[in-house]
Amino acid sequence: MTLKTEPFVVNIGPQHPSTHGVFRLRTTLDGEVIVDVEPIFGYLHRGIEKLAEERTYGGIIPLTDRLDYLASMSNNMGYCMAVEKLAGIEVPERAEYLRVILAELQRIASHLIGVGAFFNDLGAMMTPIVYMIREREKIVDLFEMLCGQRLTYNFMRFGGLSQDIPEEFLPALRKFLDQMPRFIDEYDQLLMDNEIVLARSKDVGVLPAETAINISASGPVLRGSGVKWDIRKADPYSVYDRFEFDIPTGTAGDAYDRYRVKVEEMRQSLRIIEQAVAQLPGGPFRSKVPFLVRPPVGEAYAHIESARGDLGFYLVSDNSIAPYRFHVRAPSLINLTALREMLIGWKVADAIIIFGSIDIVMGEVDR
Amino acid sequence: MKFDHFGIGIAKGMAVTLKNLFRRPVTVQYPEQRLNTSRRIRGNELVWSKEKCTGCATCAKACPQGVINIETSANPDNNKYEVKKYEVDTGYCIFCALCVEACPFNALYMGYDYERARYRRGELVQSRDMMTETPEKHVSGYFFPDRAASLPLQTLLVEKITEEE
C-alpha cells in the first residue's frame, strides 16, 4: 500500500542558527527529501554600492570592511587596488609584501571560521569551532596590533598602508607561524578521519566541475570540484608571482572536498607568509597620495582571490572626489547560486551541511 | 559507506580533546581581569587638543559618517578662528579614525579608554569639554608612533599559551 503524499513548504531562516546570517531558504519537501529550493536574500541589504557614490574615495574603505566582515583585509586590498588602477597610483615594494602577508593571514582566519562553522552545522557542536576560534584569535590579535580594531580593520590606503608595522609585529608573527602548522595537524587529527564526518559529508552535495564553471563559482567551491583556478596564479596581482605555492583541489566536489581544500589552503597561506616575511624589503610603507583622490574619467576593475573566491571591485570615475559607480563582484553571492543544484534530492539535515560547506557571508551577498 | 577501521578516527579525535583538557585556559574574566589592548586601539573616548586645533574642519570633511559638528567664528583681535562648538556623535561614529589621520595639526586623537557605554543616545554625543585634552586623559598611539611607544605592550595570545614541551 502506498501512502498519498503532497509537497510541503518549509522556510529555513531568515533567523536560523545554520544560515550564517539572515538568509531564507524556502524549501519544498516531500517527506524529508527536498524537491525544490528557493534561496531568498536581501535581509542584510544596506545599500553600500549606492552609499559609496556619495562618499569620497577614501571614505569608502570603511564601507568595504563591512562587506565580507570575516575578511576585511582582503576587501580593503581589492578596493585599494581598483582605485590605484583608476588613478595610476604606485605602491611601494614594502607595502605590497605587507599586503600579501595580511591578506594571507586573513585567509587563514576566515577559513578557520568557515571550517569551524561547517562542523557546527554538521553536528560537532562547538568543539571544533571553539578550537578554531582560539587560533583565529591569535591572528585577530596581530591585526589589532596593527590597526587597533579586531573586525573592521580599515588598514589599507591608496598607495600602501595607513601606518607602518610596529616593531613587535614581526616577532609575534614569527611565533604564530611556528605554532600554527601544529594546530592545523591537530584539527586534521580531530576531524579528518572521523567516521561520522566521513559518513555525513562524503559524496554529499556534489557539485560537478562543469556546473561549477557554468555558474562561474570561484574559491574553495570551484576548487573542491577539481578545477585548478586561482586568481593568484591565473591573473597574478600584487607580488604573488614571486612566491611558490600550490593550488589545492578536490576530486569529487562534495562537502568533504570543500572542507579539505580550505584546510590545505591554510597550509599554503602559511607557506606564502613564510616566504613574504623572508623577502620583506625596507623602505616606505606608503607613496605620496593627496588627501582627496580625483581619478581621471574612466573605469577600472581589479579582482583578488579573497577567502571566498574571486572578489572584484568595479569603479567608474567622472573626475570628482566620489565614484560615479561602485560595484562589487561578491564571490559569496555567485557561489550561492550553486546551492539549488546541490540541494535538490537531499534531506533537510544534509541541506544544512551543504549550505555550511559553501561558506558564505551574508554581508557580502546582500551588500 | 564503508570504513577501514571503524572507531579509530573517533579515538584519534578524542586524544585531541583530551590534550586540550590539560591546556591552560585562554579566556579571562573580563571586568576583574583585563588584558592590555593594542597600543593603537581606536577607543571611543576621543581626545581633542584645544591649543592645536585651528578650526579648519578637515576632520569633518574626512569623516565618512558626517558625525563631527564644528562651528567656528573669526576673532578680529588676532585674525584667527575660534572653535565655538566641537561635537562628535559617537552613536553614529564608526571609529574608522580617518579624522585623526586627516588632521594636519595633530589636534585629534583616538582614546586609549574604551568603556563608554551610556544609557541614552543623547549622552553618546561627546562635546568639546568632554574631549579636551588633559594630563589625565589616555591617548591612543593610533597614527602617533611616539605616543604608542610609551603605552604598555599588548597582551598576545601567541605568547600566552605556548605549550610546555
Side-chain angles (χ1 to χ4, degrees), chain A residues 55 144 146 164 186 193, chain B residues 12 23 38 40 65 101:
Chain A
R55 292 193 176 189
E144 191 193 350
L146 292 175
D164 203 356
E186 204 172 88
D193 300 329
Chain B
K12 271 163 72 183
R23 276 200 182 129
S38 162
R40 291 177 179 178
Q65 295 293 95
E101 290 180 29

Side-chain angles (χ1 to χ4, degrees), chain A residues 55 134 141 144-149 152-154 157 163-164 175 179 182 186 189-190 193 195, chain B residues 5 7 12-13 19-20 23 38 40 42 65 96 101 142-143 154 157-159 162-163 165:
Chain A
R55 292 193 176 189
R134 182 187 61 202
D141 264 354
E144 191 193 350
M145 186 196 278
L146 292 175
C147 57
Q149 290 281 38
T152 50
Y153 305 118
N154 184 24
R157 297 286 181 280
Q163 293 157 80
D164 203 356
K175 265 187 192 152
Q179 282 179 19
R182 213 170 56 230
E186 204 172 88
Q189 193 191 335
L190 178 66
D193 300 329
E195 281 82 0
Chain B
H5 310 284
K12 271 163 72 183
K19 198 169 152 193
N20 275 286
R23 276 200 182 129
S38 162
R40 291 177 179 178
R42 307 207 289 254
Q65 295 293 95
C96 62
E101 290 180 29
Y142 188 86
F143 216 64
Q154 184 190 349
L157 194 59
V158 254
E159 286 163 3
T162 41
E163 279 172 89
E165 287 200 2

Side-chain angles (χ1 to χ4, degrees), chain A residues 22-327:
Chain A
V22 273
F23 174 69
R24 184 168 149 216
L25 264 176
R26 192 155 74 198
T27 52
T28 311
L29 304 179
D30 181 13
E32 269 286 288
V33 181
I34 294 169
V35 290
D36 194 20
V37 169
E38 193 189 346
I40 301 163
F41 43 80
Y43 292 96
L44 201 63
H45 177 71
R46 292 150 295 171
I48 283 183
E49 288 183 2
K50 191 71 190 167
L51 270 176
E53 291 169 16
E54 307 228 322
R55 292 193 176 189
T56 59
Y57 281 94
I60 296 170
I61 302 172
L63 280 183
T64 61
D65 285 336
R66 286 151 179 82
L67 288 170
D68 180 355
Y69 41 78
L70 290 179
S72 299
M73 280 288 184
S74 310
N75 284 264
N76 282 183
M77 185 174 174
Y79 172 67
C80 288
M81 275 169 55
V83 175
E84 280 151 13
K85 211 169 169 182
L86 190 63
I89 299 166
E90 291 280 311
V91 186
E93 283 273 283
R94 184 178 171 80
E96 290 280 24
Y97 275 90
L98 286 172
R99 278 184 182 188
V100 167
I101 293 172
L102 296 176
E104 294 304 317
L105 276 175
Q106 185 70 81
R107 187 188 315 280
I108 298 172
S110 176
H111 279 349
L112 284 171
I113 291 288
V115 172
F118 167 63
F119 283 103
N120 229 355
D121 292 343
L122 204 144
M125 198 61 192
M126 282 300 155
T127 307
I129 196 168
V130 165
Y131 292 170
M132 284 166 194
I133 282 178
R134 182 187 61 202
E135 264 61 69
R136 175 179 176 268
E137 179 69 26
K138 294 170 184 171
I139 301 173
V140 172
D141 264 354
L142 291 175
F143 286 155
E144 191 193 350
M145 186 196 278
L146 292 175
C147 57
Q149 290 281 38
R150 296 164 53 81
L151 199 66
T152 50
Y153 305 118
N154 184 24
F155 188 56
M156 294 188 190
R157 297 286 181 280
F158 315 133
L161 306 168
S162 83
Q163 293 157 80
D164 203 356
I165 50 168
E167 55 192 12
E168 62 265 28
F169 177 74
L170 285 176
L173 180 64
R174 184 73 260 154
K175 265 187 192 152
F176 171 76
L177 290 177
D178 294 342
Q179 282 179 19
M180 195 58 197
R182 213 170 56 230
F183 283 110
I184 297 180
D185 292 344
E186 204 172 88
Y187 304 148
D188 278 356
Q189 193 191 335
L190 178 66
L191 301 162
M192 199 170 97
D193 300 329
N194 190 303
E195 281 82 0
I196 303 164
V197 172
L198 289 170
R200 291 213 58 197
S201 66
K202 271 254 179 201
D203 300 323
V204 171
V206 176
L207 181 69
E210 276 170 36
T211 323
I213 293 170
N214 285 346
I215 60 157
S216 70
S218 54
V221 175
L222 179 68
R223 287 192 286 273
S225 300
V227 185
K228 217 170 179 159
W229 177 261
D230 190 315
I231 307 297
R232 289 175 291 176
K233 290 261 193 202
D235 181 14
Y237 55 93
S238 196
V239 287
Y240 273 108
D241 47 353
R242 301 183 199 175
F243 306 121
E244 269 181 33
F245 60 97
D246 305 325
I247 307 171
T249 50
T251 46
D254 52 15
Y256 185 75
D257 274 1
R258 288 192 278 278
Y259 145 64
R260 287 311 302 163
V261 164
K262 277 175 209 149
V263 174
E264 291 307 320
E265 269 184 26
M266 283 195 252
R267 291 214 172 88
Q268 296 303 327
S269 292
L270 286 175
R271 229 174 111 191
I272 297 172
I273 300 168
E274 291 272 4
Q275 293 171 48
V277 170
Q279 297 174 22
L280 183 67
F285 60 92
R286 191 180 181 186
S287 55
K288 277 249 178 270
V289 177
F291 174 57
L292 290 174
V293 186
R294 270 179 201 274
V297 178
E299 55 179 22
Y301 179 76
H303 60 164
I304 64 164
E305 182 73 28
S306 99
R308 261 153 274 282
D310 180 0
L311 171 71
F313 286 90
Y314 174 68
L315 284 165
V316 181
S317 164
D318 57 353
N319 198 15
S320 68
I321 55 169
Y324 178 76
R325 178 82 173 93
F326 170 75
H327 178 70

Side-chain angles (χ1 to χ4, degrees), chain B residues 16-56:
Chain B
V16 174
T17 336
L18 198 69
K19 198 169 152 193
N20 275 286
L21 194 63
F22 295 105
R23 276 200 182 129
R24 267 183 272 163
V26 295
T27 46
V28 289
Q29 303 300 319
Y30 162 58
E32 287 83 29
Q33 287 173 293
R34 276 154 197 267
L35 303 177
N36 287 338
T37 53
S38 162
R39 285 169 160 187
R40 291 177 179 178
I41 182 178
R42 307 207 289 254
N44 53 9
E45 300 195 7
L46 293 147
V47 181
W48 173 75
S49 168
K50 195 181 174 185
E51 289 75 35
K52 289 184 197 158
C53 184
T54 58
C56 67

